[in-house]
PDB file of all heavy atoms in Angstrom:
ATOM      1  N   ALA C1543     -34.287   7.727  -2.563  1.00  0.00           N
ATOM      2  CA  ALA C1543     -34.565   9.141  -2.373  1.00  0.00           C
ATOM      3  C   ALA C1543     -35.423   9.669  -3.618  1.00  0.00           C
ATOM      4  O   ALA C1543     -36.155  10.606  -3.547  1.00  0.00           O
ATOM      5  CB  ALA C1543     -33.338   9.980  -2.161  1.00  0.00           C
ATOM      6  N   LYS C1544     -35.091   9.076  -4.820  1.00  0.00           N
ATOM      7  CA  LYS C1544     -35.820   9.552  -6.029  1.00  0.00           C
ATOM      8  C   LYS C1544     -37.031   8.669  -6.297  1.00  0.00           C
ATOM      9  O   LYS C1544     -37.979   9.159  -6.846  1.00  0.00           O
ATOM     10  CB  LYS C1544     -34.876   9.353  -7.143  1.00  0.00           C
ATOM     11  CG  LYS C1544     -33.703  10.364  -7.286  1.00  0.00           C
ATOM     12  CD  LYS C1544     -32.890  10.105  -8.531  1.00  0.00           C
ATOM     13  CE  LYS C1544     -32.034  11.253  -8.963  1.00  0.00           C
ATOM     14  NZ  LYS C1544     -31.249  10.903 -10.103  1.00  0.00           N
ATOM     15  N   ILE C1545     -36.997   7.338  -5.786  1.00  0.00           N
ATOM     16  CA  ILE C1545     -38.117   6.484  -6.117  1.00  0.00           C
ATOM     17  C   ILE C1545     -39.198   6.592  -5.028  1.00  0.00           C
ATOM     18  O   ILE C1545     -40.401   6.381  -5.374  1.00  0.00           O
ATOM     19  CB  ILE C1545     -37.580   5.051  -6.186  1.00  0.00           C
ATOM     20  CG1 ILE C1545     -36.560   4.873  -7.372  1.00  0.00           C
ATOM     21  CG2 ILE C1545     -38.640   3.977  -6.289  1.00  0.00           C
ATOM     22  CD1 ILE C1545     -35.713   3.618  -7.256  1.00  0.00           C
ATOM     23  N   GLY C1546     -38.841   6.862  -3.789  1.00  0.00           N
ATOM     24  CA  GLY C1546     -39.797   6.952  -2.740  1.00  0.00           C
ATOM     25  C   GLY C1546     -40.130   5.726  -2.033  1.00  0.00           C
ATOM     26  O   GLY C1546     -40.717   5.724  -0.904  1.00  0.00           O
ATOM     27  N   SER C1547     -39.814   4.509  -2.576  1.00  0.00           N
ATOM     28  CA  SER C1547     -39.956   3.185  -1.989  1.00  0.00           C
ATOM     29  C   SER C1547     -41.335   3.037  -1.434  1.00  0.00           C
ATOM     30  O   SER C1547     -41.449   2.572  -0.321  1.00  0.00           O
ATOM     31  CB  SER C1547     -38.985   2.994  -0.941  1.00  0.00           C
ATOM     32  OG  SER C1547     -37.656   3.128  -1.492  1.00  0.00           O
ATOM     33  N   PRO C1548     -42.452   3.246  -2.206  1.00  0.00           N
ATOM     34  CA  PRO C1548     -43.746   3.115  -1.595  1.00  0.00           C
ATOM     35  C   PRO C1548     -44.062   1.671  -1.292  1.00  0.00           C
ATOM     36  O   PRO C1548     -43.668   0.763  -2.006  1.00  0.00           O
ATOM     37  CB  PRO C1548     -44.726   3.517  -2.725  1.00  0.00           C
ATOM     38  CG  PRO C1548     -43.761   3.331  -4.080  1.00  0.00           C
ATOM     39  CD  PRO C1548     -42.443   3.608  -3.592  1.00  0.00           C
ATOM     40  N   GLY C1549     -44.721   1.495  -0.191  1.00  0.00           N
ATOM     41  CA  GLY C1549     -45.090   0.099   0.309  1.00  0.00           C
ATOM     42  C   GLY C1549     -43.936  -0.630   0.898  1.00  0.00           C
ATOM     43  O   GLY C1549     -44.078  -1.836   1.246  1.00  0.00           O
ATOM     44  N   GLN C1550     -42.719  -0.057   0.842  1.00  0.00           N
ATOM     45  CA  GLN C1550     -41.589  -0.861   1.264  1.00  0.00           C
ATOM     46  C   GLN C1550     -40.854  -0.077   2.467  1.00  0.00           C
ATOM     47  O   GLN C1550     -40.898  -0.569   3.598  1.00  0.00           O
ATOM     48  CB  GLN C1550     -40.542  -1.062   0.174  1.00  0.00           C
ATOM     49  CG  GLN C1550     -40.991  -2.131  -0.809  1.00  0.00           C
ATOM     50  CD  GLN C1550     -39.746  -2.644  -1.527  1.00  0.00           C
ATOM     51  OE1 GLN C1550     -38.970  -1.947  -2.050  1.00  0.00           O
ATOM     52  NE2 GLN C1550     -39.647  -3.994  -1.559  1.00  0.00           N
ATOM     53  N   TYR C1551     -40.243   1.043   2.077  1.00  0.00           N
ATOM     54  CA  TYR C1551     -39.411   1.849   3.041  1.00  0.00           C
ATOM     55  C   TYR C1551     -39.553   3.294   2.852  1.00  0.00           C
ATOM     56  O   TYR C1551     -38.538   3.950   2.712  1.00  0.00           O
ATOM     57  CB  TYR C1551     -37.877   1.462   2.838  1.00  0.00           C
ATOM     58  CG  TYR C1551     -37.434   0.061   2.619  1.00  0.00           C
ATOM     59  CD1 TYR C1551     -36.833  -0.374   1.457  1.00  0.00           C
ATOM     60  CD2 TYR C1551     -37.510  -0.792   3.697  1.00  0.00           C
ATOM     61  CE1 TYR C1551     -36.414  -1.629   1.327  1.00  0.00           C
ATOM     62  CE2 TYR C1551     -37.005  -2.077   3.643  1.00  0.00           C
ATOM     63  CZ  TYR C1551     -36.495  -2.531   2.389  1.00  0.00           C
ATOM     64  OH  TYR C1551     -35.966  -3.804   2.342  1.00  0.00           O
ATOM     65  N   LEU C1552     -40.778   3.760   2.880  1.00  0.00           N
ATOM     66  CA  LEU C1552     -40.994   5.216   2.712  1.00  0.00           C
ATOM     67  C   LEU C1552     -40.188   6.064   3.652  1.00  0.00           C
ATOM     68  O   LEU C1552     -39.705   7.119   3.303  1.00  0.00           O
ATOM     69  CB  LEU C1552     -42.489   5.533   2.856  1.00  0.00           C
ATOM     70  CG  LEU C1552     -43.016   6.937   2.560  1.00  0.00           C
ATOM     71  CD1 LEU C1552     -42.571   7.507   1.181  1.00  0.00           C
ATOM     72  CD2 LEU C1552     -44.510   6.994   2.701  1.00  0.00           C
ATOM     73  N   ASP C1553     -40.029   5.551   4.963  1.00  0.00           N
ATOM     74  CA  ASP C1553     -39.339   6.321   5.984  1.00  0.00           C
ATOM     75  C   ASP C1553     -37.839   6.347   5.580  1.00  0.00           C
ATOM     76  O   ASP C1553     -37.172   7.458   5.677  1.00  0.00           O
ATOM     77  CB  ASP C1553     -39.489   5.740   7.350  1.00  0.00           C
ATOM     78  CG  ASP C1553     -39.195   4.160   7.330  1.00  0.00           C
ATOM     79  OD1 ASP C1553     -39.137   3.491   6.243  1.00  0.00           O
ATOM     80  OD2 ASP C1553     -39.088   3.611   8.473  1.00  0.00           O
ATOM     81  N   TYR C1554     -37.288   5.222   5.079  1.00  0.00           N
ATOM     82  CA  TYR C1554     -35.888   5.213   4.701  1.00  0.00           C
ATOM     83  C   TYR C1554     -35.679   6.147   3.484  1.00  0.00           C
ATOM     84  O   TYR C1554     -34.722   6.977   3.486  1.00  0.00           O
ATOM     85  CB  TYR C1554     -35.585   3.774   4.354  1.00  0.00           C
ATOM     86  CG  TYR C1554     -34.189   3.569   3.627  1.00  0.00           C
ATOM     87  CD1 TYR C1554     -32.981   3.585   4.437  1.00  0.00           C
ATOM     88  CD2 TYR C1554     -34.075   3.347   2.204  1.00  0.00           C
ATOM     89  CE1 TYR C1554     -31.868   3.369   3.796  1.00  0.00           C
ATOM     90  CE2 TYR C1554     -32.845   3.162   1.652  1.00  0.00           C
ATOM     91  CZ  TYR C1554     -31.709   3.144   2.427  1.00  0.00           C
ATOM     92  OH  TYR C1554     -30.517   3.008   1.876  1.00  0.00           O
ATOM     93  N   ALA C1555     -36.577   6.048   2.556  1.00  0.00           N
ATOM     94  CA  ALA C1555     -36.483   6.863   1.262  1.00  0.00           C
ATOM     95  C   ALA C1555     -36.457   8.460   1.725  1.00  0.00           C
ATOM     96  O   ALA C1555     -35.680   9.216   1.193  1.00  0.00           O
ATOM     97  CB  ALA C1555     -37.659   6.637   0.382  1.00  0.00           C
ATOM     98  N   ALA C1556     -37.398   8.770   2.684  1.00  0.00           N
ATOM     99  CA  ALA C1556     -37.445  10.145   3.164  1.00  0.00           C
ATOM    100  C   ALA C1556     -36.196  10.567   3.831  1.00  0.00           C
ATOM    101  O   ALA C1556     -35.666  11.759   3.668  1.00  0.00           O
ATOM    102  CB  ALA C1556     -38.687  10.322   4.008  1.00  0.00           C
ATOM    103  N   SER C1557     -35.546   9.613   4.623  1.00  0.00           N
ATOM    104  CA  SER C1557     -34.343   9.925   5.271  1.00  0.00           C
ATOM    105  C   SER C1557     -33.234  10.248   4.289  1.00  0.00           C
ATOM    106  O   SER C1557     -32.376  11.067   4.499  1.00  0.00           O
ATOM    107  CB  SER C1557     -33.973   8.875   6.285  1.00  0.00           C
ATOM    108  OG  SER C1557     -33.396   7.716   5.652  1.00  0.00           O
ATOM    109  N   LYS C1558     -33.274   9.488   3.208  1.00  0.00           N
ATOM    110  CA  LYS C1558     -32.164   9.735   2.197  1.00  0.00           C
ATOM    111  C   LYS C1558     -32.455  10.957   1.287  1.00  0.00           C
ATOM    112  O   LYS C1558     -31.528  11.532   0.851  1.00  0.00           O
ATOM    113  CB  LYS C1558     -32.055   8.471   1.271  1.00  0.00           C
ATOM    114  CG  LYS C1558     -31.607   7.163   2.057  1.00  0.00           C
ATOM    115  CD  LYS C1558     -30.253   7.437   2.722  1.00  0.00           C
ATOM    116  CE  LYS C1558     -29.643   6.182   3.223  1.00  0.00           C
ATOM    117  NZ  LYS C1558     -28.302   6.353   3.842  1.00  0.00           N
ATOM    118  N   GLY C1559     -33.772  11.381   1.213  1.00  0.00           N
ATOM    119  CA  GLY C1559     -33.968  12.671   0.583  1.00  0.00           C
ATOM    120  C   GLY C1559     -33.406  13.799   1.490  1.00  0.00           C
ATOM    121  O   GLY C1559     -32.825  14.699   0.894  1.00  0.00           O
ATOM    122  N   ALA C1560     -33.413  13.631   2.799  1.00  0.00           N
ATOM    123  CA  ALA C1560     -32.773  14.613   3.651  1.00  0.00           C
ATOM    124  C   ALA C1560     -31.268  14.663   3.419  1.00  0.00           C
ATOM    125  O   ALA C1560     -30.648  15.643   3.453  1.00  0.00           O
ATOM    126  CB  ALA C1560     -33.174  14.346   5.106  1.00  0.00           C
ATOM    127  N   ILE C1561     -30.760  13.452   3.186  1.00  0.00           N
ATOM    128  CA  ILE C1561     -29.311  13.391   2.931  1.00  0.00           C
ATOM    129  C   ILE C1561     -28.866  14.190   1.631  1.00  0.00           C
ATOM    130  O   ILE C1561     -27.937  14.861   1.624  1.00  0.00           O
ATOM    131  CB  ILE C1561     -28.796  11.939   2.853  1.00  0.00           C
ATOM    132  CG1 ILE C1561     -28.990  11.276   4.222  1.00  0.00           C
ATOM    133  CG2 ILE C1561     -27.408  11.804   2.299  1.00  0.00           C
ATOM    134  CD1 ILE C1561     -27.991  11.934   5.324  1.00  0.00           C
TER     135      ILE C1561
END
Side-chain angles (χ1 to χ4, degrees):
K1544 285 180 164 179
I1545 296 165
S1547 303
Q1550 283 204 312
Y1551 312 116
L1552 183 54
D1553 52 346
Y1554 172 79
S1557 76
K1558 294 301 186 177
I1561 292 297

